[in-house]
Amino acid sequence: MSKSWYPIIDYDRCCECGKCVNKCRQGVYDKSKMPKPVVIHPEGCIQGCHGCGNLCPNKAISYAGDNVNNMRRRRMF
């Protein structure tokens, strides 16, 4: 588990499909808020995991601690 790696949701891009919430088995998201992805347990995220972000149809998930992909994302917008 990681304290320096966790998902960050861009709610302007999020379509609230719930795929990320359903994917995560680490309890990172608040399932009671579903389908809206609300991060309540960021330290539960596994370092380097992109499981929820890979499922996001709108690419609304980036990760704290993912300097390489966050730099690429900034160049795209």
Side-chain angles (χ1 to χ4, degrees):
M1 307 302 174
S2 177
K3 293 183 180 182
S4 62
W5 179 276
Y6 53 89
I8 299 170
I9 313 301
D10 180 343
Y11 290 106
D12 289 333
R13 297 183 65 140
C14 178
C15 65
E16 296 187 11
C17 66
K19 290 180 181 181
C20 55
V21 179
N22 283 325
K23 170 67 177 168
C24 184
R25 303 284 181 244
Q26 306 305 317
V28 173
Y29 296 100
D30 184 350
K31 291 198 181 252
S32 73
K33 305 285 187 203
M34 206 170 144
K36 185 174 185 171
V38 177
V39 176
I40 59 165
H41 188 59
E43 63 276 5
C45 194
I46 297 171
Q47 182 76 33
C49 180
H50 286 92
C52 60
N54 288 340
L55 290 176
C56 183
N58 292 346
K59 306 296 181 214
I61 301 174
S62 59
Y63 297 89
D66 187 3
N67 297 329
V68 172
N69 284 324
N70 287 339
M71 292 285 285
R72 277 190 210 135
R73 186 181 172 110
R74 276 186 232 134
R75 279 188 232 135
M76 287 174 37
F77 299 105

